[in-house]
Amino acid sequence: SGVAAAFAFLQSQKDSLKVAAIGLGTGSIAAYLKSKDHLTFYEIDPDIAKVAQTQFKYLSLAKGSVDIRINDARLQL
């Protein structure tokens, strides 16, 4: 996928990444993290965060650190 290609390229260029993602969904992007990477999700709906944390394993199995900010990304960024 395009996301996989972007992560692979950037991880080959840098020791660690700081990434922001608008919209959490299931949190599957967290699967691309390496141990030194950090990912911040911006999610407007707190119910989506609950579902991603309880019904899917991407966030709990992430090798890097993950932060979820519940707010409008347009205002946070």
Side-chain angles (χ1 to χ4, degrees), residues 3 7 11 19 21 23-35 37-41 52 57-68:
V3 171
F7 268 90
Q11 288 166 333
V19 179
L24 173 59
T26 62
S28 62
I29 293 175
Y32 296 108
L33 296 177
K34 291 191 176 181
S35 62
D37 295 341
H38 179 79
L39 172 60
T40 302
F41 284 106
K57 299 268 186 204
Y58 298 112
L59 299 174
S60 63
L61 295 176
K63 293 179 183 172
S65 62
V66 177
D67 183 30
I68 301 171

